[in-house]
Amino acid sequence: MTEWYPKKCIGNLVDDLARQMGGKTGLTFNGRKYTFAEMADHVDSAARALMSLGIQQGDHVAVWLNNSPDWLFLQYAISKIGAIIVPLNTRFRSHDIDYVLRQSDSKLLITHDVSGPIDYLALLNEAVKIPDNGTDITDPDFPSLKKIVILSDTKHPGTILWCDAKEAGKSINEIELKERSEHVDPDDVTIILYTSGSTGFPKGVMHSHNIIRAMEERAYRLNITSKDVIINYMPLFHAFGLSEGSLMSMLTGSMQVLTENFIPDEALDLIEREKVTIMHGFDIQIKMLIDAQQKKPRRTDSLRFGWLPAGPSNVTPVARKAKDVFPTWKSLTGFGMTEIWTGACISALDDTEEQRFEASATPAMTSEVRVADPQTNEPLPAGVEGEIQIRGLTVTRGYYNKPKETKETFTEDGWLKSGDLGYFREDGHLRFVGRLKDMLKVGGENVDPMEVEGYILGLDGVQQISVVGVYDPRLGEVPIAYIQKKDNSSITKENIIEFCRNKLASYKIPKHIVFVDEYPMTASGKIRKVDLRQDAATRLSSDVQA
């Protein structure tokens, strides 16, 4: 008797598509197109190369690369042979790499020598002792790390060229590869994703192949098919890009238009040229696309929909503006995080505009979601704010080698504590309000920084804003606003205070304002508020001393 839902392995998805629609284009990158059959061949070549390098089932393979076809081929190859991929943030530097390579117990690292302005090999040399002779890594500080592979045409001491590894992989025959693939258990961990770090240093979040089940349900619900074209400018080392670009393409047969980085004008040109139907982004990316489209309009009427996680007050005006600038594009909202994968809550295509712009959707079929008292973990009724907690198929197995942090993240009855604040509306839609730690306590009053951000964004001349708390000897904590002006804007701190006066409660009005040209960002395009808090503390401490 056939199982009602046969479990699948991520590494076999490309083979399935190669059999079903091998001649169809599955990937476009920098003008080069790959059919699903060609992608399957590249994946097998990468899998053989990894086997020739000694990678066994359960080994950890760190991938420190920019978006590229090779990144995708490695993703499926690593999974196909039962190893575990450890995607590394390309914004990591030597200190970060030192920590993550140790903490993840990676056996193999695959990276660039140089890419753009970044000398990856130089950064790596600051952390790891790379031998002058041979290619065996014997650094006692990295006992698990055995080899370093470089994607380059130039040979470097102590490393292996990827092209040489693929040549060596030709000695692995089809039967050996098939046997390895057949022994992969869909319930095993297949990926360790390090959190973006918007709240501190990253932790390794473990997921198994079962994330496929939730994504298939979502694809069916949203009618994503092989006729769709997905643009993917989100980094592949982040769950958003990995899930909604790479995996969704492989699950549906849709074509993925991959870019190395997010450049709004490039993205819009590709949307017009490739007739893209699905476009995702956080509010900061969508806002940049809106600005670029208004400066130089392109034809975007091929667009159908895309994810724009809403709920917070500062996202709603972006969603409304996007409707005007991209009239055929329906922004869908949702709720997800690295620990629960993408889409614990997801929109339906027939949700109202208000629900899609001002809420965070309803729980997906594969997830249970509740709002609970953060102190007692007791469920709260609709309309009452508390911590969003999740239980379900795609919840993480835990943080790699961090049992204490894992235990602290779950309630005794198995609910994951998200650390996010929200509430259920009467219509059953969740509304994400913000991080519990982001809430400010000003003289005993709770202040939601996203409410303040959403209001000040309405002032002409404000491009972007982020509000955090900073210590105040009288009130305990006060808001400080980091504001990026629009081009040629002459707004002043006084203009902003006056705009808020008599409109916001006095304790919500930023006591300090800092104009910035850019923000510290996570890889997923979120502002690193932890860095802004540190800057605020240092800045105001210096002011006091001066």
Side-chain angles (χ1 to χ4, degrees):
M1 180 177 173
T2 305
E3 291 184 83
W4 73 271
Y5 177 77
K7 294 180 179 179
K8 300 178 182 179
C9 293
I10 288 172
N12 296 332
L13 295 179
V14 66
D15 289 333
D16 293 341
L17 286 177
R19 283 191 296 269
Q20 296 167 19
M21 53 186 81
K24 182 184 180 296
T25 300
L27 173 67
T28 295
F29 180 81
N30 284 348
R32 169 77 189 277
K33 294 183 183 292
Y34 300 81
T35 66
F36 284 116
E38 289 173 329
M39 293 180 75
D41 288 341
H42 281 288
V43 169
D44 283 356
S45 174
R48 291 187 176 97
L50 293 166
M51 290 172 67
S52 75
L53 289 165
I55 298 302
Q56 301 295 321
Q57 189 164 348
D59 284 344
H60 297 184
V61 180
V63 176
W64 193 25
L65 297 171
N66 289 308
N67 284 10
S68 68
D70 278 314
W71 207 112
L72 295 174
F73 304 150
L74 282 164
Q75 172 195 349
Y76 295 99
I78 292 167
S79 178
K80 188 168 190 171
I81 64 172
I84 298 170
I85 187 171
V86 183
L88 302 185
N89 189 326
T90 53
R91 293 184 179 178
F92 281 172
R93 295 301 176 253
S94 55
H95 176 74
D96 309 299
I97 286 297
D98 184 303
Y99 172 81
V100 173
L101 280 180
R102 293 173 197 257
Q103 206 280 328
S104 66
D105 290 327
S106 291
K107 182 176 181 179
L108 177 69
L109 170 65
I110 303 175
T111 186
H112 306 283
D113 50 1
V114 176
S115 181
I118 308 302
D119 190 330
Y120 287 84
L121 197 53
L123 292 170
L124 190 57
N125 265 301
E126 293 178 23
V128 180
K129 294 174 184 174
I130 300 175
D132 294 325
N133 299 303
T135 59
D136 292 333
I137 305 299
T138 57
D139 188 337
D141 291 332
F142 298 87
S144 297
L145 187 62
K146 304 303 179 187
K147 302 282 186 184
I148 295 171
V149 171
I150 303 293
L151 267 69
S152 173
D153 295 326
T154 305
K155 176 69 176 174
H156 298 277
T159 67
I160 299 168
L161 289 178
W162 181 231
C163 58
D164 290 342
K166 288 194 288 185
E167 186 64 30
K170 291 178 180 178
S171 64
I172 307 294
N173 62 46
E174 187 176 337
I175 294 174
E176 292 174 282
L177 177 57
K178 188 172 183 289
E179 286 178 349
R180 281 289 292 273
S181 178
E182 288 175 345
H183 281 86
V184 178
D185 187 339
D187 291 320
D188 285 345
V189 171
T190 187
I191 185 169
I192 300 176
L193 263 178
Y194 279 79
T195 53
S196 299
S198 59
T199 57
F201 207 82
K203 300 184 287 288
V205 179
M206 298 183 289
H207 284 288
S208 72
H209 301 258
N210 64 19
I211 54 178
I212 292 174
R213 176 68 186 92
M215 293 186 62
E216 284 187 321
E217 183 265 331
R218 183 156 72 250
Y220 181 78
R221 181 170 176 174
L222 299 175
N223 194 31
I224 303 174
T225 72
S226 60
K227 295 180 181 179
D228 279 301
V229 179
I230 304 171
I231 187 164
N232 190 13
Y233 38 66
M234 305 297 284
L236 288 166
F237 54 77
H238 181 263
F240 204 165
L242 191 62
S243 170
E244 304 312 305
S246 173
L247 285 172
M248 190 58 78
S249 170
M250 286 295 177
L251 285 167
T252 62
S254 53
M255 183 174 83
Q256 179 183 185
V257 179
L258 183 68
T259 66
E260 185 172 350
N261 300 295
F262 174 63
I263 303 172
D265 284 307
E266 177 192 22
L268 289 167
D269 289 342
L270 286 167
I271 288 168
E272 181 177 57
R273 185 185 317 141
E274 301 293 345
K275 295 182 171 53
V276 169
T277 62
I278 300 174
M279 174 184 80
H280 305 300
F282 292 108
D283 57 307
I284 192 163
Q285 282 99 14
I286 300 303
K287 195 170 190 304
M288 292 170 73
L289 288 165
I290 289 169
D291 292 343
Q293 176 71 354
Q294 288 180 312
K295 289 177 182 177
K296 181 187 174 184
R298 283 81 158 180
R299 184 170 181 175
T300 62
D301 57 356
S302 60
L303 289 172
R304 292 204 300 126
F305 72 87
W307 295 112
L308 170 55
S313 304
N314 62 330
V315 180
T316 300
V318 178
R320 295 196 183 283
K321 186 69 174 178
K323 178 197 170 190
D324 296 333
V325 176
F326 304 112
T328 65
W329 184 71
K330 180 176 284 190
S331 69
L332 302 179
T333 186
F335 178 78
M337 56 191 295
T338 307
E339 286 84 347
I340 59 174
W341 206 244
T342 56
C345 290
I346 56 173
S347 280
L349 289 169
D350 60 353
D351 280 347
T352 68
E353 193 173 282
E354 187 274 338
Q355 289 168 333
R356 292 184 289 106
F357 290 177
E358 299 188 20
S360 306
T362 54
M365 185 185 297
T366 52
S367 298
E368 295 179 80
V369 182
R370 73 181 185 186
V371 174
D373 184 305
Q375 303 302 320
T376 66
N377 294 317
E378 288 297 316
L380 297 171
V384 179
E385 287 187 3
E387 182 180 41
I388 301 169
Q389 298 182 349
I390 306 95
R391 190 166 63 181
L393 186 65
T394 61
V395 171
T396 179
R397 301 290 184 84
Y399 299 117
Y400 181 71
N401 271 354
K402 287 186 177 289
K404 178 175 179 289
E405 288 84 349
T406 298
K407 184 177 181 181
E408 291 171 348
T409 301
F410 288 88
T411 65
E412 290 185 1
D413 53 348
W415 291 82
L416 182 137
K417 298 185 286 185
S418 71
D420 287 335
L421 189 66
Y423 63 91
F424 272 107
R425 309 188 328 170
E426 292 297 335
D427 62 2
H429 284 247
L430 179 73
R431 183 172 182 229
F432 163 66
V433 175
R435 293 288 298 171
L436 278 168
K437 292 181 181 178
D438 284 346
M439 294 296 288
L440 311 186
K441 200 81 166 179
V442 182
E445 299 283 355
N446 287 330
V447 174
D448 178 0
M450 291 187 178
E451 177 192 356
V452 180
E453 291 165 359
Y455 177 74
I456 294 177
L457 270 175
L459 176 61
D460 188 35
V462 174
Q463 174 70 21
Q464 187 58 273
I465 176 172
S466 185
V467 174
V468 297
V470 66
Y471 171 73
D472 182 84
R474 185 173 69 87
L475 297 172
E477 186 176 40
V478 292
I480 176 171
Y482 285 79
I483 293 176
Q484 184 182 58
K485 299 180 185 179
K486 288 184 177 178
D487 293 343
N488 303 317
S489 171
S490 59
I491 57 169
T492 64
K493 297 179 182 180
E494 290 73 23
N495 296 148
I496 293 163
I497 298 300
E498 186 59 34
F499 183 70
C500 296
R501 188 172 286 126
N502 298 324
K503 299 294 184 182
L504 293 178
S506 59
Y507 59 85
K508 296 181 181 180
I509 298 174
K511 186 173 182 180
H512 309 281
I513 293 172
V514 178
F515 290 115
V516 297
D517 294 325
E518 58 183 11
Y519 295 95
M521 306 294 289
T522 69
S524 59
K526 299 176 184 176
I527 295 171
R528 278 184 54 91
K529 290 201 171 190
V530 64
D531 288 355
L532 295 185
R533 292 189 193 99
Q534 292 171 354
D535 177 82
T538 302
R539 185 184 296 271
L540 294 182
S541 174
S542 299
D543 289 347
V544 169
Q545 292 173 5

